[in-house]
Amino acid sequence: MKKIVVLLFFSFFFSFSQEKGTTYFDVQLFKGNIYKHRNDIGHLITGHPEGFLLSYNWKTFGKKEWEQVYKYPDYGISYQYLDFKNQFLGVNHAIGLHYNFYFFNRNLMFRISQGIGITSNPYNKETNNKNNAFGTKVMDNTYFLLQYKKENIIDKIGFQAGFMLTHFSNGRFKAPNSGINTIAFSVGLNYNFNENQEFIVDSAPSSATYKERIKYNIAFRTGVSEGPVPHIGQRQFYHVGLYADKRIGRKSALQLGTDIFFSRYLEEYIKFVSVAFPPDHKSYTDPNTDYKRIGLFLGHELFINKLSIETQIGYYVYKPFDYEVDTYQRIAAKYYLYKSIFTGVGLKTHGGRAEAIEATIGVRL
C-alpha cells in the first residue's frame, strides 16, 4: 500500500512539473495549537506546536483552459517540518503537492496540499505506548493555508501571512490512529525568480454552454487497514464503486451511486468482539455475522486540469455488524491517465474517524 501511494504521488509531481514558466519560492514560519478532536489525545497536548514550510511554485497565465477557468492558480511542491512540543509525538516531516487559488484581486490566497508524512516517534507497545495518534512511521498529510499575500514589495521579495491547518493520520492503515490536527498562524516571505507575464484573458466558452452527457463510472479501491484494537491484524480491503455523474459546468460534476465494501479487517474484529464479551453482554456479536457492507452515496467532482478532487457522503443500507455510524464520507484526489481512465488516492472516514486510505483505479465511460 505504501508503495502504491508513493508511486501515485510522484506521478502527480512529474505531471505538474512538465511545464516551464515563471516560478517563485516561499518560506514560512508557523506556531499554533493542537485541536482536541477526541478526549483520548489530551495527554498529547502539552505545548504550542511550531515549525516551518518551504515551497517551490509554478505560476500559470492562462495558456490552458483550466488555468483561465480557475483564475490563474499556482501549483507546486512543499516541505513541512512540525515540532509538536510533546515527548510522545516528537516531530513530523512531510512533502506534498499543492494548488494556490487566488481571490480579491489576488490579495487572498487559499492553498490545499496533499502529501506524505513521516513521524520521529510512532506508537510502540513497549517504548512509546502513549502515542495513540500515529500507529505507523509513514502516513498521510493534508494541509490548508488561507493567507494575505503581496508580491514584489522590495524588488522580487514579497510578504504573506495567515492561518494554517495541517492534519497527520495513517488512515488507520495500522492501529492506533487518532490523528493530529494543528491550527497555526503563519508568516513568511516569497521570492520571484522570473519576471511576471501578462495574463491571457479568459477566452473559454461560457460555463452555461458547457454540455456533456451522463457518464458511468466503475472504481476499484484497495489497500490495507486494521481494526480499532492495536495488534488485531492488518487485512486487505476491496471497495467497489458504481456510479453515474453529470457535469454541471466546466468545473463540476454531481454523482449518484453505490459502494460495496469488502473490508476484511472487520472479519477479525467481529471474531475479537465475539470472544471478548459473554453472550449476554450488549456488545457481544455472533462470530458468523457478515462483515460486508453496502452504501448509497451522493458526490461532487471538481475538475482541475487532469487532476480532480472528489468528495462524497454515503449511507449504509446494508450493515449487519453494528460498527461505527451509519454515514460515511470520502475525499479523494483523482488523476486522469487517459480521457476515461483514472487513478488516485482517497480517504474514507466516519466523521472525524478515518477508516481507510484507498488506492484507486477506475474508468469513466
Side-chain angles (χ1 to χ4, degrees), residues 63-79:
K63 292 182 179 180
K64 296 185 177 181
E65 180 182 341
W66 74 271
E67 300 171 358
Q68 300 175 30
V69 170
Y70 285 94
K71 306 302 181 185
Y72 323 105
D74 312 325
Y75 55 88
I77 186 170
S78 58
Y79 165 75

Side-chain angles (χ1 to χ4, degrees), residues 17-24 56-61 63 75 193-195 197:
S17 59
Q18 287 175 352
E19 300 179 38
K20 294 183 179 180
T22 301
T23 60
Y24 70 94
Y56 190 82
N57 307 268
W58 286 264
K59 293 186 176 184
T60 66
F61 294 92
K63 292 182 179 180
Y75 55 88
F193 291 103
N194 315 96
E195 297 295 333
Q197 304 174 27

